[in-house]
Amino acid sequence: MNYWLMKSEPSVYSIWDLQREGQTLWDGVRNYQARNYLKAMQPGDRAFFYHSNADPPGIAGLMEILETQVVDPSQFDAASPYYDPKSGCADPRWYTVRVQFVAVLGRFLSLPELRATFTPEELEVVRRGSRLSVMPVSQTVAERVLALTTVSSQPL
DNA sequence: GCCAACGTTGGC
DNA sequence: GCCAACGTTGGC
């Protein structure tokens, strides 16, 4: 089981939106490295839900990867802001995952706090200028992150 | 709202 | 394949 960190702007889609909906398709990722990480995910993996462009930015929740290797349908939708006219149905360019809500953290972990706790080598999101929206998190760092907050256990 | 950092595009 | 121009991300 691997851990990941996935960013979303809460004004667009927040951890509370996921809590209400239970699960969602993580569509709209249009960066090749982030897509490669999405492709590497396996069902049962866990991911931290990171609120970007928030006040303060930071880790807000936890989710589980439900379904992988999903073709992102928004790339074919001309009305979508994520439409990619260069992607064809025969050879889709963008893949994503379906995620399941697990928990809202009992205490959010702000970016300043993460910076104070982890080096850029340990946790890529604290790196200056880090723009990747999906990134891996090592088991040890994930456990240290979880130890900093409270996560009410929710049956899935 | 600003702007630094970064990714992508396209001319050559 | 280089690189300047441009667009986007995201912290502050």
Side-chain angles (χ1 to χ4, degrees), chain A residues 17-51:
Chain A
D17 292 318
L18 181 60
Q19 182 179 40
R20 178 166 13 87
E21 294 179 4
Q23 60 180 62
T24 196
L25 189 68
W26 202 270
D27 63 355
V29 173
R30 294 292 180 268
N31 170 284
Y32 288 104
Q33 194 177 346
R35 180 208 62 183
N36 292 344
Y37 285 138
L38 288 168
K39 275 187 156 182
M41 290 181 182
Q42 300 188 328
D45 284 357
R46 294 215 155 183
F48 294 106
F49 193 124
Y50 181 93
H51 279 176

Side-chain angles (χ1 to χ4, degrees), chain A residues 5 9 17 22 27-30 55 65 91 107 112 121 139:
Chain A
L5 182 147
E9 300 192 20
D17 292 318
D27 63 355
V29 173
R30 294 292 180 268
D55 187 22
I65 308 305
D91 184 23
R107 188 175 72 82
E121 291 73 31
Q139 177 91 22

Side-chain angles (χ1 to χ4, degrees), chain A residues 66-109:
Chain A
L66 263 190
E67 186 186 354
T68 59
Q69 311 296 327
V70 181
V71 173
D72 184 341
S74 64
Q75 69 195 301
F76 304 125
D77 178 3
S80 167
Y82 306 125
Y83 177 58
D84 183 354
K86 294 180 194 162
S87 182
C89 294
D91 184 23
R93 188 176 290 195
W94 305 110
Y95 282 79
T96 190
V97 296
R98 178 163 289 277
V99 297
Q100 164 83 48
F101 173 78
V102 174
V104 178
L105 297 195
R107 188 175 72 82
F108 284 15
L109 304 173

Side-chain angles (χ1 to χ4, degrees), chain A residues 81-143:
Chain A
Y82 306 125
Y83 177 58
D84 183 354
K86 294 180 194 162
S87 182
C89 294
D91 184 23
R93 188 176 290 195
W94 305 110
Y95 282 79
T96 190
V97 296
R98 178 163 289 277
V99 297
Q100 164 83 48
F101 173 78
V102 174
V104 178
L105 297 195
R107 188 175 72 82
F108 284 15
L109 304 173
S110 72
L111 183 58
E113 183 176 3
L114 293 172
R115 282 198 209 280
T117 310
F118 300 102
T119 66
E121 291 73 31
E122 290 173 315
L123 186 61
E124 193 170 338
V125 78
V126 309
R127 196 173 301 170
R128 185 160 178 266
S130 172
R131 291 174 49 181
L132 202 58
S133 65
V134 180
M135 59 190 80
V137 177
S138 75
Q139 177 91 22
T140 45
V141 168
E143 283 168 6

